[in-house]
Amino acid sequence: PAAIELLDVSKVYSIWSSPSKQLFVPLWRKLGFKIDINEGRKFTAVKPLDLQIARGECLGIIGRNGAGKSSLLQIMAGTLTPSTGTIEAEGRIAALLELGSGFNPDFTGRENVFLNATILGMSQRDISARFDQIVDYSGIREFIDRPVKTYSSGMTLRLAFSVCAHVDADILIIDEALAVGDARFSLKCFATLNQFIQSGKTVIFVSHDTNSVANLCNRAILLLSLIHISEPTR
């Protein structure tokens, strides 16, 4: 069985002429006002796509900026609703999308470990049992009780990846984040990803580094950067 299956999945955004209208459309709809869904121009971020990703597979996704890679990953991670189609996923998903996503910059590293791991489905008891492993893997123990907003991008990556690596996920989604790490930690991350794949789990990996994709992934798909904006229906 597939770890993730997408059927006719697409994402289209409305480009509203008035920013205030865009802001209040969800509220107006909840209050019962009828909003013309054809009003405004449409931007297609992800064209209709069918895709199956097998258990134990590492799929690479490549393409230029604006090709829809990040939107597609957000749909797979469940943080973005597709405009059309369906997506089915089997197992727990851990996603490292935007660097530091899921972290509160005002919380300490310790508090963010518990926050992020809870979001990813772990119990407080399990987080406490693995807390030392998470911190030791990240290599930033001396900073763990400082606010994340004082961390460098590399320190944030270390902690975020370490949490993802220790939550017993069945599917791990990585979007460009490893590009900001130092070489030694990047090698450590790739070794962990290889172990993850060898254990029969699934990795979805986005990167502009085609060498990394070739070395890590079983196969890759190319998203073409075909920006399409349609005019409103009259």
Side-chain angles (χ1 to χ4, degrees):
I4 295 183
E5 183 173 10
L6 289 77
L7 296 174
D8 194 36
V9 166
S10 71
K11 185 61 182 177
V12 179
Y13 294 97
S14 293
I15 304 175
W16 296 91
S17 57
S18 168
S20 61
K21 182 175 289 189
Q22 179 180 0
L23 180 64
F24 288 108
V25 159
L27 176 60
W28 289 341
R29 283 179 173 159
K30 285 186 177 180
L31 292 174
F33 290 94
K34 293 184 178 180
I35 305 297
D36 183 2
I37 62 172
N38 292 317
E39 182 178 351
R41 295 182 299 165
K42 306 295 181 184
F43 167 65
T44 301
V46 178
K47 299 184 71 175
L49 175 68
D50 293 336
L51 180 64
Q52 275 195 346
I53 306 171
R55 295 178 185 273
E57 179 179 11
C58 181
L59 174 73
I61 301 178
I62 58 177
R64 294 182 177 180
N65 292 334
K69 302 186 300 298
S70 295
S71 294
L72 180 58
L73 289 196
Q74 290 177 51
I75 291 171
M76 291 182 184
T79 59
L80 185 65
T81 302
S83 300
T84 65
T86 59
I87 176 169
E88 295 184 3
E90 293 291 332
R92 177 183 290 171
I93 298 176
L96 187 55
L97 302 176
E98 295 180 31
L99 185 60
S101 60
F103 280 7
N104 185 318
D106 293 318
F107 288 3
T108 66
R110 181 185 301 273
E111 291 167 333
N112 272 296
V113 167
F114 279 86
L115 171 65
N116 201 230
T118 300
I119 291 172
L120 293 174
M122 288 187 71
S123 68
Q124 295 289 302
R125 181 177 179 178
D126 287 342
I127 301 169
S128 295
R130 299 187 187 187
F131 180 79
D132 285 335
Q133 296 176 41
I134 293 170
V135 176
D136 289 342
Y137 186 98
S138 71
I140 61 167
R141 181 174 289 276
E142 61 185 302
F143 304 101
I144 199 64
D145 289 310
R146 295 182 59 185
V148 165
K149 65 184 177 183
T150 66
Y151 289 8
S152 67
S153 58
M155 292 166 64
T156 304
L157 164 67
R158 283 172 171 267
L159 192 60
F161 184 88
S162 186
V163 172
C164 286
H166 290 86
V167 296
D168 282 342
D170 301 293
I171 301 167
L172 188 57
I173 299 175
I174 307 284
D175 184 9
E176 298 288 355
L178 300 185
V180 304
D182 61 77
R184 180 176 295 181
F185 189 74
S186 291
L187 289 174
K188 185 177 181 179
C189 292
F190 281 112
T192 299
L193 291 176
N194 276 314
Q195 293 172 3
F196 193 84
I197 297 162
Q198 290 169 11
S199 68
K201 299 182 178 182
T202 305
V203 174
I204 301 160
F205 181 68
V206 165
S207 177
H208 287 294
D209 183 354
T210 53
N211 287 328
S212 295
V213 172
N215 290 331
L216 182 68
C217 301
N218 306 104
R219 65 181 174 120
I221 62 172
L222 170 65
L223 295 184
L224 298 178
S225 182
L226 299 175
I227 296 177
H228 176 67
I229 299 177
S230 62
E231 294 301 323
T233 303
R234 300 299 181 186

